[in-house]
Amino acid sequence: MADETTWLNQAVALAAENVANGGGPFGALVVLKDELIATGTNQVTPTLDPTAHAEVIAIRAACRALGTFKLDGCLLVASCEPCPMCFSSSLWARVDRIIYAADRHDAAKAGFDDRVFYEVFENEPSSWPLTLAQVSLPGATLPFDRWEGKADRTEY
């Protein structure tokens, strides 16, 4: 039976190995009942995908491995504190718990300063670094209307 330190060491080793292989310095594991379900490493630059963070890669792999989009009962183990996107992905995946080794300040020292992403929601949308605008459109709620009327829908 592995303990949290063992899982964290594995995530950190995965992240360090990923650096040697051309990826970013982040690694993550998804564990269910002391069983390793999936791993992920940061693949942002090799895949040119800004959402390819280690945690997201691990969550996607775990969902495929378990055949579900809900990771109830799972532990997300990360080499570094998850950024807001990864934390939100964990919430959507219904991960029970997250543990991490390095924190956001350690990441910032290495050039991965995501402070603006933590702070953006503290400010009014008018001061956000990008424009978010709703455009009035007749029929905009049609997909939701259809969803509500769908008897065989899969609830999120």
Side-chain angles (χ1 to χ4, degrees):
M1 184 162 145
D3 65 7
E4 291 180 351
T5 304
T6 301
W7 293 123
L8 283 168
N9 280 325
Q10 188 172 345
V12 169
L14 190 63
E17 180 182 332
N18 195 50
V19 172
N21 293 329
F26 302 94
L29 318 171
V30 175
V31 177
L32 176 62
K33 298 179 182 172
D34 205 42
E35 179 186 347
L36 178 62
I37 302 300
T39 65
T41 56
N42 182 284
Q43 296 297 309
V44 171
T45 56
T47 63
L48 305 178
D49 179 355
T51 68
H53 290 201
E55 298 89 338
V56 173
I57 299 293
I59 287 169
R60 289 174 181 165
C63 288
R64 285 190 304 272
L66 295 173
T68 181
F69 59 90
K70 293 182 181 181
L71 298 178
D72 306 89
C74 288
L75 168 68
L76 177 65
V77 182
S79 63
C80 186
E81 181 179 3
C83 73
M85 177 185 71
C86 293
F87 182 77
S88 295
S89 297
S90 300
L91 289 170
W92 275 107
R94 312 308 195 273
V95 169
D96 277 8
R97 204 165 148 249
I98 301 170
I99 60 172
Y100 60 90
D103 67 16
R104 67 181 84 171
H105 307 291
D106 299 315
K109 288 178 195 169
F112 296 90
D113 191 355
D114 51 8
R115 216 174 344 196
V116 66
F117 303 121
Y118 287 98
E119 296 170 354
V120 72
F121 296 109
E122 296 173 8
N123 301 312
E124 290 298 315
S126 61
S127 68
W128 288 358
L130 59 83
T131 302
L132 178 68
Q134 182 178 17
V135 176
S136 181
L137 182 70
T141 62
L142 178 62
F144 296 114
D145 298 338
R146 291 213 175 140
W147 176 256
E148 289 175 333
K150 187 173 171 57
D152 63 343
R153 69 180 180 239
T154 301
E155 295 294 335
Y156 283 56

